[in-house]
Amino acid sequence: MTPTDDEKMTLCGIVLHPAGHTRSPAMHTAAYSALGLNARYEVFDVPPQELAAAIAQARARGVRQLAVSLPHKETVIPHLDRIDDTARAIGAVNTVTRRDGALEGSNTDWLGAVRALERETPLAGRHAVVLGAGGSARAVVYGLHRRGATVTVLNRSISRAETLARDLGARRAGPLAALADVPHDVLVNTTSVGLRSDASPIPADVIRPESVVMDAVYDPEITRLLRDAQLRGARTIPGKWMLVYQAAAQLELWSDREAPVAVMAEAFDDVGTRA
Ligand SMILES: NC(=O)c1ccc[n+]([C@@H]2O[C@H](COP(=O)([O-])OP(=O)(O)OC[C@H]3O[C@@H](n4cnc5c(N)ncnc54)[C@H](OP(=O)(O)O)[C@@H]3O)[C@@H](O)[C@H]2O)c1
């Protein structure tokens, strides 16, 4: 018996809660079309208490890859067969890929961040400041350190910044207000300040005109921080690119094809204009 088209179709998706407004289906589906991949991307709205059952169901359905978003990036780990060294170091999984029947957890957020930054600057030998000490900060600090940058972590809760710095090889930690005293060429905001608001985590006058500034926040695409940075003469990178490159890395993990980054970025924009 020959398998039908539907049986041959690769199933991927994203688990998150609440499902809200995710751009992942648009980006991945556009990439499947561009590459001629027979694949489908589904959104699984999974509350925390249903995560174990959802992963079991994904196994039973032979799901090839799941993106893992909030609030499941840490709690998914016990439900997997293994996680790779990068996800273990970061302490979070944003991607689950089926390999030889086993579910493997990995993390592409760090790669999304460094590839986005590398659009504007090499990272080796640079001095970077990361604002924030949550989940995305862990991935960004890991990536910057891995690329050879010296990293300072500044956060509202200083003890959280200190723990992150110790865990992931950042050189210094402190409060957000210390930014003015830390020489740097790269600045990344990973706090949620600016998300769907016109707030910035720092005053505009501490932004260095010679720095490259990236905001992990991608809604709105141009945040208050990025607007302030542009006015100060700094080069800026919207969080859109971090999201696009982490999605591109996910696609490459299962498809063994080079991701069509421009197509995925265009799909991100299309969702934005429809929102
Ligand atoms: N572009 C991408 O691909 C990408 C990927 C992941 C996340 N993100 C975005 O990054 C942001 C953070 O995500 P996350 O998962 O890291 O969140 P998280 O783990 O909840 O961490 C939130 C961070 O924001 C800080 N914060 C929250 N409210 C603050 C305030 N009023 N003033 C100062 N600091 C404040 C927290 O400081 P405390 O420790 O003091 O509470 C913490 O450092 C979100 O907007 C998310 O959408 C983007």
Side-chain angles (χ1 to χ4, degrees):
M1 194 178 81
T2 51
T4 64
D5 275 357
D6 206 44
E7 285 167 334
K8 282 189 290 184
M9 181 177 277
T10 300
L11 179 58
C12 297
I14 181 167
V15 281
L16 75 172
H17 183 75
H21 190 66
T22 167
R23 303 192 195 215
S24 296
M27 290 192 294
H28 285 274
T29 304
Y32 301 161
S33 297
L35 296 176
L37 294 170
N38 183 18
R40 192 174 76 235
Y41 198 93
E42 288 186 11
V43 175
F44 302 101
D45 187 345
V46 177
Q49 65 277 16
E50 291 172 19
L51 182 62
I55 298 298
Q57 203 182 7
R59 278 182 199 275
R61 291 179 70 187
V63 171
R64 186 79 171 89
Q65 188 179 72
L66 281 176
V68 181
S69 192
L70 296 178
H72 303 306
K73 287 187 175 188
E74 291 164 25
T75 50
V76 75
I77 293 173
H79 305 297
L80 306 179
D81 299 305
R82 54 179 182 256
I83 65 171
D84 70 12
D85 291 344
T86 304
R88 184 169 297 108
I90 294 170
V93 159
N94 82 325
T95 312
V96 175
T97 308
R98 187 165 50 80
R99 294 190 191 286
D100 304 324
L103 294 184
E104 180 175 289
S106 55
N107 192 306
T108 65
D109 282 332
W110 75 273
L111 200 51
V114 300
R115 285 194 179 153
L117 285 164
E118 285 167 348
R119 290 172 67 84
E120 289 290 344
T121 177
L123 296 171
R126 293 294 193 270
H127 287 83
V129 172
V130 175
L131 307 176
S136 57
R138 293 186 68 88
V140 171
V141 171
Y142 172 88
L144 287 165
H145 183 63
R146 182 159 161 173
R147 285 290 199 262
T150 302
V151 187
T152 298
V153 184
L154 304 180
N155 192 44
R156 179 176 62 177
S157 317
I158 302 170
S159 63
R160 223 175 157 198
E162 288 169 343
T163 303
L164 192 163
R166 206 171 41 244
D167 286 356
L168 291 160
R171 187 165 296 177
R172 295 168 61 185
L176 293 171
L179 181 62
D181 304 320
V182 181
H184 59 274
D185 359 76
V186 174
L187 176 66
V188 184
N189 174 46
T190 71
T191 76
S192 45
V193 179
L195 176 66
R196 291 181 213 110
S197 85
D198 196 38
S200 170
I202 50 166
D205 60 4
V206 298
I207 298 172
R208 294 177 183 233
E210 65 278 13
S211 63
V212 171
V213 179
M214 182 166 87
D215 202 335
V217 173
Y218 55 83
D219 182 11
E221 185 174 339
I222 305 298
T223 57
R224 170 80 174 271
L225 171 68
L226 294 182
R227 268 202 337 269
D228 287 347
Q230 283 166 359
L231 288 171
R232 297 274 299 159
R235 284 175 288 158
T236 58
I237 305 166
K240 156 189 163 174
W241 289 108
M242 177 174 165
L243 191 75
V244 167
Y245 282 110
Q246 66 77 28
Q250 290 177 325
L251 182 78
E252 289 173 357
L253 272 175
W254 74 262
S255 69
D256 283 332
R257 303 281 298 275
E258 189 180 335
V261 170
V263 169
M264 297 173 86
E266 206 174 302
F268 175 103
D269 293 339
D270 287 348
V271 176
T273 52
R274 280 189 277 118

